[in-house]
């Protein structure tokens, strides 16, 4: 919606496979936004969660996670994606609503670390083939694949360093 077009949803398969197909195959500015955001958003959300936890708002992190998980549930494109997001909504929702403050802080911290550590992992694991997301953006823009991957790695590492410092030293 914010990208002026939208994904069909997301699919999860056994193993380490997932995909977010677009609504059509035509080109648009939203392609850049959606592809770029797919790798930049998890570490940025992790950094935002680290800031919230550092300011004593673990409950806010959990409620934002519940809202994002509900949105993900409605965007799920297959049975596995539906099941995983439903279980996550139930689990995180229960902790946000009825968990002790210690449990809430622990789950919120785990979610934040997942975002902070998942960003570098996803960018490093992503290949540089022409069919990768970096290859997709390279075909559409003047920047080569290695530059797109470098931007995502830089965002992920900077968020990890800053977020980790907030969580570990405050």
């Amino acid at each position: 919606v914010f990208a002026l077009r939208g994904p069909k949803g997301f699919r999860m398969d056994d193993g380490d496979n997932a995909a977010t197909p677009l609504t059509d195959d035509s080109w648009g500015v939203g392609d850049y936004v959606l592809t770029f955001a797919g790798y930049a958003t998890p570490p940025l959300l992790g950094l935002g969660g680290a800031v919230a936890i550092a300011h004593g708002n673990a409950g806010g992190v959990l409620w934002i996670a519940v809202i994002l998980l509900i949105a993900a549930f409605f965007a799920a494109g297959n049975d596995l994606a539906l099941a995983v997001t439903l279980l996550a909504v139930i689990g995180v929702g229960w902790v946000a609503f009825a968990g002790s403050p210690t449990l809430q802080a622990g789950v919120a911290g785990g979610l934040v670390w997942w975002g902070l550590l998942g960003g570098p992992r996803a960018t490093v694991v992503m290949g540089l083939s022409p069919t990768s997301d970096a290859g997709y953006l390279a075909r559409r823009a003047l920047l080569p694949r290695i530059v797109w991957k470098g931007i995502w790695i830089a965002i992920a590492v900077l968020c990890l360093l800053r977020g980790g410092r907030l969580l570990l030293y405050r």
Side-chain angles (χ1 to χ4, degrees), residues 22-23 35-36 55 64 67 78 82 85 125 147 153 155 167:
L22 296 174
T23 54
T35 304
F36 185 81
H55 288 92
I64 289 172
I67 291 167
N78 65 352
L82 280 169
T85 54
V125 170
V147 172
I153 289 173
I155 290 169
L167 292 173

Side-chain angles (χ1 to χ4, degrees), residues 17 45 54 105 132 139 142 161 164:
N17 300 322
L45 285 174
S132 70
R139 285 191 309 274
L142 298 176
L161 291 174

Side-chain angles (χ1 to χ4, degrees), residues 60-141:
V61 171
L62 293 174
W63 286 112
I64 289 172
V66 167
I67 291 167
L68 292 173
L69 286 165
I70 290 170
F73 176 79
F74 288 112
N78 65 352
D79 291 340
L80 181 59
L82 280 169
V84 169
T85 54
L86 179 61
L87 289 173
V89 167
I90 291 168
V92 176
W94 179 83
V95 170
F97 185 71
S100 69
T102 303
L103 181 60
Q104 289 180 349
V107 171
L111 290 172
V112 167
W113 278 110
W114 189 16
L116 291 173
L117 294 171
R121 181 202 173 276
T123 54
V124 169
V125 170
M126 176 188 57
L128 281 175
S129 72
T131 59
S132 70
D133 288 333
Y136 175 79
L137 288 176
R139 285 191 309 274
R140 305 273 192 221

